Amino acid sequence: MRVPSDIEIAQQAEMLKITEIAEKLGIEEHEVEPYGHYKGKLSLDILHRRKEDKDGKVILVTAVNPTPAGEGKSTVTVGLGQALNKVGKKAVVALREPSLGPTMGMKGGACGGGYSQVVPMEDINLHFTGDIHAITTAHNALTALVDNHIHRGNELGLDVRKLTWKRVMDMNDRSLRQVVAGLGGPLQGVPHETGFDITVASELMAVLCLADSINDLRNRIRKIVIGYTYEDLPVTVKDLGVEGALTLLLKDALKPNLVQTLENTPALIHGGPFANIAHGCNSVLATKMASKLGDYVVTEAGFGADLGAEKFLNIKTRAGNIKPALVVVVATIRALKMHGGVPKDNLKEENTEALQKGLANLEKHIESIHSFGLPHVVAINRFSHDTPAEIEILKEFCHSRDIQVELADVWESGGEGGKKLAEKVLNEIEKPSNFSPLYSLDLPVEQKINNIATAVYGADGVNFSSGAAAQLKKIKEHGWDNLPVCMAKTQYSLSDDPAQFGRPQNFRITVRELRVSAGAGFIVALTGNVMTMPGLPKRPGALDMDVNDEGGAVGLF
Ligand SMILES: Nc1ncnc2c1ncn2[C@@H]1O[C@H](COP(=O)(O)OP(=O)(O)O)[C@@H](O)[C@H]1O
Ligand SMILES: O=COP(=O)(O)O
C-alpha cells in the first residue's frame, strides 16, 4: 500500500488545540501563549514553578553517517515518542526548528516523516513562530551597528580587515559567501569585505540554544566577539553597548515552542543549529522544560554520532547540566550500503556484500557512544526496499556484539511501529549510565580537538593550518583555551573528506580555521572544505512548491 507523502499525511492530521496539549502536560493557562490554534510559546516560568519536580529521563537519538536525504533521526525521534505514549509512558519529543535553506533546497524539512511527524508541518517548515527570522534580524542588526560605529569615527579602533561578525540569511545562497560592503563613497560607510552565513550557523543561534534564562542570554550576547582592533585586541558586543537591544529582539524567540505529533504526543521544537557547521542540538531550555513536563524526553542531535551526538554530549550537557540516560543510534540499510561502496542511485537494490562492508561505520559510532559510558540501542529504521536478508544481517551484526537492536517501523506505522523499540529502550534505560564528557575543559584546545578526532572519528591525529596555529596562540592569549570545541565537519564521512565512506583508516583531520564563539562558549574548528553558507542543489525542492486552491502548501515533501 502506498504511503502518502509527508505533507498529505500531515494535512490529514487530527490535531488537538494547543491549549489542550498544554493542559494535559499540567501547563497553566498563563504559561502558554497560543500562536493560532496549534502552536504555542511556553513561558520560562514553567521551569521556575517546577524546579523541584523530578527530571524525566533524556533519550538522545543519533545516527550513522547519513545519505544526503537523512536516515530518519527526526522520524524515529517522533515515532519513539509516540510509541512510548502508546505503551503508557508520559513522553515528550524535543526537536530543532527547520531552516528554510534545506527546506527550499535538497534536504527537506525537519518534522520527521510518514506517520511519525510533528504538526502543523507546513507552518513548522515555513515560518513557524518566527524564531529564525528573529535571529536573522538580531544578527544583522549587530552587523549594522558595528558598521555604523566604524562609519561614525570608530572610537573602538576596530580594524575593518579583522571583523569576524558577518551577516546571515536563512537561505542557501552561495553568491553571498564573500561580498564587499560600504561601496559608493564616504556617505555609504567604510568599504570592507564581509559575507553571509546561513542563519543556523549564527553564533546567536548557538547562544539562544545554550542559554538557560533571559539573563544568561544577555550575558552570553555581551561576550560575543565581533572583531579585533589594530592592536589585535578583541572587541565585544559589551564594548558596543548593544547587548540590551539584541536581547530585546530575541526575548520571544527564547521561549520554546509547543506543538504535537500526528498522534497528539507533545513536542517542544526550539532552536535550529545544523550539526555540521554548528552544535546541532535543540535548545537547553526546551530539553530542560520537556524534562519537567514528561517522564521521558526523546530528543535528537543532527547528522551522525560524530557530529550532533558528540556535541550534545560534550557541549550541551555542560551548558544545561543535562544527564542523558540512553542513546538510540538510528541505522538504515541504505546508509550502510552507501558506506559499503554502493552508489546513491543503487541503494534500493539488495546488496548484502556492501551492507556487510558498510557495517564498519555503525561499529565505529557504537564504539564512540560506548566511550561516553551510555547505554545504547540500535534502531533499524526500516525502508520499504530493505530485504529480510539485509535486515537479518544487521540484526546478527548487533546480536553477535551483544548490542541491543530493534526494528523501527515508525515511518509506515507511527507509534504502533515503534512499540518493540520502546520496550527495548525502557528495558535498557534502567541500566546504569556512567556518562562523562569525552574531555576535561582544562585540556588545551588542540588536545580537545585531537581527542575528538581520534576517539570519535578514528583519526590518527590532527593537522593545523598555519592560520589555525596562529589562532590557537590568540585563543590562549585571550584566555579562551578552557572552552569546549564545536567541530565543523562534513556529515557524510567520519573523516573531513566527504568521499571517504565506511570507517576510514590511517587518516588525519585538517583544521583550517578556528573561530571564537565566546558568547556561545565554544571554539569552532573548521575542517576540510565545510562551508557555513550552503549552496542550492541542481534541482532545488522549491521547484515543486506552490499553494493549492484550498490555500494549502504543495510540494513540502
Ligand atoms: N523508514 C522510512 N521510509 C521512507 N522514508 C523515510 C523513512 N524514514 C525517514 N524517511 C524520510 O526521509 C526523510 C528524512 O527523514 P528525517 O527524519 O528528517 O531524517 P534526519 O532527521 O535523519 O535528517 C524524510 O522525508 C522522511 O519522510
Ligand atoms: O544538522 C542536521 O540535522 P539532520 O541530521 O536532522 O539533517
Side-chain angles (χ1 to χ4, degrees):
M1 182 187 73
R2 180 184 86 86
V3 175
S5 69
D6 291 350
I7 192 158
E8 287 169 320
I9 294 170
Q11 286 171 341
Q12 302 303 320
E14 293 179 12
M15 294 181 277
L16 298 177
K17 290 275 176 69
I18 202 61
T19 46
E20 288 180 66
I21 296 287
E23 191 179 358
K24 285 165 72 175
L25 291 172
I27 295 171
E28 296 177 4
E29 188 177 352
H30 71 277
E31 293 173 331
V32 56
E33 187 180 352
Y35 278 51
H37 298 301
Y38 306 110
K39 299 173 288 185
K41 274 197 171 285
L42 298 180
S43 164
L44 305 190
D45 291 349
I46 293 172
L47 283 171
H48 301 310
R49 177 170 66 83
R50 302 186 65 163
K51 65 180 180 294
E52 300 308 325
D53 291 3
K54 185 171 179 291
D55 283 338
K57 291 178 185 269
V58 175
I59 299 161
L60 172 64
V61 180
T62 183
V64 297
N65 290 100
T67 65
E71 299 323 301
K73 269 189 319 303
S74 304
T75 302
V76 170
T77 299
V78 173
L80 177 57
Q82 294 180 144
L84 285 166
N85 278 281
K86 272 192 177 294
V87 299
K89 301 302 179 184
K90 191 175 180 186
V92 178
V93 167
L95 298 178
R96 286 164 299 155
E97 302 183 45
S99 160
L100 278 170
T103 296
M104 304 298 277
M106 166 177 65
K107 178 72 179 39
C111 293
Y115 290 96
S116 291
Q117 294 185 63
V118 286
V119 285
M121 177 265 231
E122 301 174 31
D123 289 23
I124 297 167
N125 273 326
L126 290 173
H127 305 292
F128 202 14
T129 55
D131 295 346
I132 295 189
H133 297 316
I135 293 167
T136 300
T137 300
H139 185 115
N140 295 333
L142 176 53
T143 314
L145 288 160
V146 169
D147 286 2
N148 184 58
H149 175 86
I150 294 166
H151 177 70
R152 301 289 183 186
N154 196 7
E155 193 180 319
L156 290 169
L158 273 162
D159 181 344
V160 294
R161 301 164 301 175
K162 299 177 191 170
L163 294 177
T164 52
W165 191 261
K166 301 192 296 182
R167 290 154 166 85
V168 297
M169 67 186 288
D170 190 33
M171 192 52 63
N172 293 357
D173 189 347
R174 60 174 60 82
S175 306
L176 292 178
R177 284 172 181 154
Q178 289 187 331
V179 298
V180 176
L183 298 179
L187 297 180
Q188 316 312 331
V190 177
H192 63 281
E193 287 188 32
T194 181
F196 285 76
D197 291 332
I198 192 165
T199 298
V200 293
S202 167
E203 185 179 351
L204 283 178
M205 172 64 86
V207 163
L208 182 128
C209 284
L210 296 170
D212 63 12
S213 68
I214 191 81
N215 289 332
D216 185 35
L217 175 70
R218 184 186 300 104
N219 288 336
R220 287 173 176 272
I221 290 173
R222 200 174 269 143
K223 295 176 187 171
I224 290 174
V225 174
I226 53 94
Y228 295 83
T229 65
Y230 290 99
E231 294 73 35
D232 220 17
L233 297 175
V235 176
T236 65
V237 169
K238 180 176 183 290
D239 297 327
L240 282 163
V242 296
E243 66 268 26
L246 299 178
T247 305
L248 179 62
L249 285 170
L250 292 174
K251 72 177 179 65
D252 290 330
L254 186 64
K255 298 171 190 170
N257 303 294
L258 176 67
V259 289
Q260 61 193 292
T261 74
L262 289 169
E263 296 175 13
N264 312 125
T265 294
L268 271 66
I269 302 186
H270 195 218
F274 291 167
N276 56 344
I277 56 178
H279 73 287
C281 303
N282 75 316
S283 71
V284 159
L285 279 170
T287 306
K288 289 172 82 74
M289 204 173 277
S291 297
K292 294 299 182 189
L293 297 171
D295 300 327
Y296 296 91
V297 181
V298 191
T299 190
E300 52 148 19
F303 294 131
D306 55 324
L307 287 171
E310 184 272 309
K311 297 167 191 179
F312 182 103
L313 298 171
N314 282 321
I315 297 173
K316 181 176 172 180
T317 55
R318 286 182 163 120
N321 188 26
I322 293 168
K323 302 275 183 289
L326 176 136
V327 176
V328 172
V329 182
V330 175
T332 63
I333 302 283
R334 71 177 186 185
L336 294 172
K337 286 193 287 192
M338 177 189 78
H339 287 293
V342 174
K344 293 182 186 59
D345 293 342
N346 303 104
L347 292 173
K348 293 186 176 179
E349 300 157 16
E350 179 174 89
N351 191 328
T352 53
E353 187 182 341
L355 172 60
Q356 288 278 16
K357 193 171 169 222
L359 287 167
N361 185 267
L362 172 61
E363 185 177 50
K364 178 56 194 155
H365 290 301
I366 296 289
E367 288 172 9
S368 300
I369 297 303
H370 188 73
S371 67
F372 280 99
L374 283 164
H376 44 275
V377 174
V378 170
I380 304 172
N381 178 20
R382 193 182 68 81
F383 280 72
S384 56
H385 43 73
D386 296 344
T387 67
E390 291 172 326
I391 291 171
E392 191 48 41
I393 285 170
L394 180 44
K395 281 186 171 181
E396 181 47 36
F397 170 83
C398 294
H399 292 149
S400 64
R401 289 161 175 77
D402 197 22
I403 297 168
Q404 297 304 312
V405 59
E406 197 52 71
L407 195 63
D409 229 343
V410 296
W411 180 83
E412 187 164 334
S413 308
E416 194 62 33
K419 286 168 81 170
K420 285 186 177 175
L421 174 63
E423 297 295 354
K424 186 134 296 184
V425 163
L426 290 169
N427 185 47
E428 284 303 298
I429 207 165
E430 294 310 318
K431 291 182 178 173
S433 158
N434 304 309
F435 168 67
S436 67
L438 186 65
Y439 53 76
S440 159
L441 294 179
D442 299 334
L443 287 177
V445 164
E446 61 270 33
Q447 187 58 53
K448 293 176 182 129
I449 295 171
N450 190 68
N451 284 12
I452 294 167
T454 52
V456 179
Y457 305 161
D460 294 337
V462 181
N463 298 332
F464 290 89
S465 70
S466 55
Q471 287 153 346
L472 270 177
K473 191 167 172 290
K474 188 185 284 189
I475 285 166
K476 293 181 193 324
E477 280 169 12
H478 296 303
W480 292 317
D481 212 23
N482 64 338
L483 293 178
V485 171
C486 179
M487 298 297 292
K489 182 181 75 67
T490 177
Q491 63 269 31
Y492 299 120
S493 172
L494 281 161
S495 73
D496 57 15
D497 175 356
Q500 293 300 315
F501 296 127
R503 183 176 182 167
Q505 305 282 346
N506 309 315
F507 70 96
R508 295 179 69 85
I509 294 291
T510 300
V511 172
R512 71 169 198 266
E513 182 186 348
L514 292 168
R515 292 179 187 172
V516 176
S517 291
F522 53 60
I523 303 290
V524 180
L526 289 110
T527 69
N529 296 316
V530 70
M531 282 176 278
T532 47
M533 168 53 90
L536 286 170
K538 187 171 177 61
R539 191 182 186 283
L543 293 175
D544 302 321
M545 295 177 183
D546 202 340
V547 179
N548 61 27
D549 294 343
E550 294 71 45
V554 171
L556 276 183
F557 333 113

